[in-house]
Amino acid sequence: MRFLPTSARRLGLPRRAVSQILLTQLALAAGVLALATGLFLAPLSAQLDDQAMRRALAIAQSAAADPSLAADLLGSGPAADTPVQAAAERIRRATGAEYVVVLDLNGIRRSHPSPDRIGLPVSTDPGDALAGREVMEIDEGTLGRSARGKVPLVAADGEIVGAVSVGIAYDNVRDRLVGAIPGLLAYAGGALAAGALAAYLLSRRIHRQTRDLAFSDIAGLLAEREAMLHSIREGVIALDGKDRIRLVNDEAARLLGLSPDTAHTLAGLPLDEVLGAGRTTDVLSGRVTGRDLLAVQGPRVLVANRMPTSDGGAVATLRDRTELEHLGRELDSTKGLIDALRAQDHEHANRLHTLLGLLELGLHEEAVEFVTEVVGVHRTTAEQVTERVHDPLLAALLVGKATVAAERGVPLRLAPTTLLPDRLVDPGGLVTILGNLVDNALDAAAGSAAPLVEVDIRADGRSAVLRVRDSGPGIPAGHREAVFTEGWSTKQPRAHRERGLGLALVRRLAERQGGSARAGEAADGGAEFSVVLPEALR
């Protein structure tokens, strides 16, 4: 169920996120347009006032520039039929001014649109104009509010004899301002319509992207996603279309060997920069495709699946298969041991039947010789191994592998240079490396014309040097690096686990100890694998 915040329900706002966004955008557009219109009208009004005052001043300057006006003022008195009144009215009618008033030094009107006011003092102080200064102002007079311009009236000898005051009705200014509003509103309406259309188109896009969710739903989904990603026991890593990391959950950071404390800082970094080159990076970036792809990251065997997203990115999941691989290898070893025991059981049964026959025939000396020979062969093999390999784990491994090899018809022998003291730092790691190499060698040598597997393991100072040779078909030169790649194998996969991990683990274990693992060609044409482990001995 989706819930809308209480304030939104109280205000009657729409519940869908897209509708709320549309209304918000429309309100913002309308508010911005109203503010812009107000900010435009305020300077427009001041500009119209200034234009009206300058026009009134210009009319007054033109009237005062006529030398006959000053002469007529000095040569006549305050009356309605004087040349001053006639000239002022002529100018007023020609310019469309509200009034043109000529006054003397005493501030007495010598002209006025209303003749009955001639001879009366002016209603505003004429001191500035009579003092020789030009004046522009918006003021209230006997004819109402007007934009005024006042200039001194100068006679031919340069003396100020009066002043000319011109007024333009302020209603004309207001009419011009009101007349500009319809055009301004038309432009504002057009801008509002364009903004509304853009807001609608944007809201439709958001509607598709949010799938008609409410804001509370989006916040809830984000919280649920964070809780789910960081609580599941499967690694999740999200990438964008350029293979940059979007998200790494806690389990993915653990599996990839990244610090969980810094996982949140990886967003935006290229995957190659974080993990480095390798199969894991190739699988996560999609350069290697398929389902349930195997990769080795550090000591872990991972199973990765990658799902592309609609924006060109991808989400990859990681599962830890390390324990399963170990169990699979133990199962392989157990199966090999069972096969060896089964073979030995048949072999012992045949030997017991032979021994019984010799005893029943009374060939006691021959029976003694037969038993001595059988026991000696097995004792010799164990003694040869323990004399040269002093570590009990490695010795036990080689004795068991020799039994399996004998059953498969492949002799397993130690090289004459084999000698390893019981001073290994990590015998378990060397057992894993040797076991994988011997298993691969037995598979390669089985069925060859002269099957043979030779193991050479010795100490070189504090380093352990291991070589395993086989009589198989060998490895082509172009594939000697590829055999160490996760998932690369020429064999059919087993039912319980994937192929192509043994040699990858061998190299990874060797490199983790600062060593190396290489593939080459043996002297007899088969394959030879060599591993060098520095500081492997105490």
Side-chain angles (χ1 to χ4, degrees):
M1 181 179 295
R2 302 174 183 174
F3 297 96
L4 197 65
T6 305
S7 58
R9 294 197 301 269
R10 184 169 59 249
L11 295 174
L13 294 177
R15 184 168 169 274
R16 297 188 303 171
V18 63
S19 300
Q20 294 184 43
I21 292 174
L22 178 60
L23 286 179
T24 302
Q25 290 175 328
L26 290 177
L28 287 174
V32 169
L33 283 174
L35 179 62
T37 301
L39 293 176
F40 177 78
L41 287 177
L44 177 61
S45 176
Q47 182 181 5
L48 292 177
D49 288 349
D50 183 71
Q51 290 177 353
M53 289 187 295
R54 290 186 180 279
R55 181 185 170 204
L57 182 64
I59 295 173
Q61 290 171 338
S62 298
D66 186 1
S68 62
L69 185 63
D72 293 338
L73 176 65
L74 294 174
S76 62
D81 55 352
T82 62
V84 174
Q85 170 71 1
E89 284 300 295
R90 183 177 68 256
I91 294 173
R92 182 182 69 83
R93 288 191 295 269
T95 59
E98 183 179 19
Y99 65 83
V100 176
V101 174
V102 179
L103 57 144
D104 58 19
L105 291 175
N106 296 319
I108 302 301
R109 299 186 184 101
R110 294 296 187 91
S111 67
H112 196 278
S114 300
D116 57 341
R117 294 185 180 179
I118 297 175
L120 299 178
V122 294
S123 60
T124 58
D125 182 16
D128 289 338
L130 294 176
R133 294 187 291 272
E134 295 182 345
V135 178
M136 292 191 306
E137 61 184 1
I138 302 292
D139 204 353
E140 193 81 27
T142 58
L143 296 179
R145 189 172 179 81
S146 60
R148 300 181 179 184
K150 298 178 181 179
V151 298
L153 182 62
V154 182
D157 58 2
E159 292 291 327
I160 297 177
V161 297
V164 178
S165 176
V166 176
I168 296 177
Y170 196 73
D171 289 343
N172 293 340
V173 178
R174 187 167 57 249
D175 290 342
R176 292 182 61 191
L177 180 62
V178 172
I181 290 178
L184 180 62
L185 292 180
Y187 284 113
L192 181 60
L197 178 60
Y200 174 74
L201 296 177
L202 179 60
S203 65
R204 288 289 301 273
R205 178 180 175 84
I206 295 175
H207 171 74
R208 292 192 300 269
Q209 292 179 339
T210 61
R211 301 185 181 182
D212 201 22
L213 293 173
F215 285 119
S216 57
D217 297 332
I218 297 174
L221 287 175
L222 287 175
E224 292 170 2
R225 188 198 73 158
E226 289 297 314
M228 178 183 67
L229 288 177
H230 294 289
S231 63
I232 60 175
R233 303 308 300 167
E234 186 170 89
V236 177
I237 179 168
L239 306 173
D240 63 12
K242 296 182 178 180
D243 289 337
R244 292 176 299 202
I245 295 176
R246 285 176 172 168
L247 176 142
V248 178
N249 74 341
D250 297 342
E251 182 66 7
R254 184 183 72 86
L255 295 178
L256 295 173
L258 307 174
S259 173
D261 297 333
T262 60
H264 64 281
T265 65
L266 301 177
L269 296 179
L271 186 64
D272 292 344
E273 178 181 330
V274 175
L275 297 183
R279 178 176 170 83
T280 303
T281 303
D282 292 339
V283 169
L284 295 180
S285 63
R287 292 191 286 267
V288 177
T289 59
R291 295 178 58 85
D292 293 333
L293 296 174
L294 293 175
V296 177
Q297 184 69 15
R300 301 187 182 280
V301 179
L302 306 178
V303 178
N305 283 283
R306 187 177 187 273
M307 177 63 68
T309 57
S310 59
D311 61 352
V315 175
T317 59
L318 301 170
R319 287 173 288 157
D320 192 352
R321 193 165 172 170
T322 307
E323 296 299 327
L324 183 59
E325 282 297 317
H326 288 168
L327 292 174
R329 294 189 179 279
E330 290 180 5
L331 178 61
D332 288 342
S333 300
T334 303
K335 182 177 180 298
L337 180 59
I338 292 174
D339 292 340
L341 291 175
R342 185 182 297 112
Q344 288 185 356
D345 179 61
H346 287 291
E347 185 179 357
H348 285 304
N350 292 332
R351 289 169 180 170
L352 286 176
H353 292 158
T354 302
L355 179 60
L356 178 60
L358 291 173
L359 292 175
E360 288 181 349
L361 293 174
L363 303 175
H364 299 145
E365 293 182 3
E366 287 80 356
V368 172
E369 292 177 0
F370 179 75
V371 172
T372 302
E373 180 184 356
V374 170
V375 173
V377 170
H378 292 282
R379 182 179 301 166
T380 300
T381 302
E383 288 178 353
Q384 289 177 348
V385 172
T386 55
E387 284 176 359
R388 299 182 181 184
V389 180
H390 298 166
D391 184 85
L393 286 179
L394 284 176
L397 174 69
L398 289 172
V399 171
K401 295 297 183 182
T403 302
V404 175
E407 165 61 20
R408 299 182 64 177
V410 180
L412 175 63
R413 73 184 185 190
L414 294 179
T417 56
T418 296
L419 181 60
L420 186 68
D422 186 14
R423 293 187 288 109
L424 292 177
V425 175
D426 181 19
L430 195 53
V431 164
T432 300
I433 292 173
L434 181 59
N436 278 293
L437 293 180
V438 170
D439 286 342
N440 287 341
L442 290 176
D443 290 340
S448 61
L452 175 65
V453 172
E454 183 180 70
V455 175
D456 182 6
I457 180 169
R458 55 189 171 83
D460 183 6
R462 296 185 59 183
S463 299
V465 180
L466 172 64
R467 288 186 175 86
V468 178
R469 307 178 183 90
D470 64 66
S471 59
I475 303 173
H479 292 168
R480 289 174 186 170
E481 281 299 314
V483 295
F484 293 102
T485 304
E486 299 97 325
W488 193 95
S489 179
T490 59
K491 307 171 188 176
Q492 292 298 321
R494 297 183 179 94
H496 59 277
R497 64 185 180 93
E498 298 289 337
R499 289 278 194 180
L501 286 177
L503 292 177
L505 284 174
V506 166
R507 171 164 282 185
R508 195 59 60 90
L509 287 172
E511 291 178 346
R512 191 174 65 179
Q513 298 184 30
S516 61
R518 292 183 176 84
E521 184 178 359
D524 56 0
E528 177 179 301
F529 288 88
S530 60
V531 177
V532 178
L533 301 176
E535 307 297 327
L537 284 82
R538 297 183 181 89

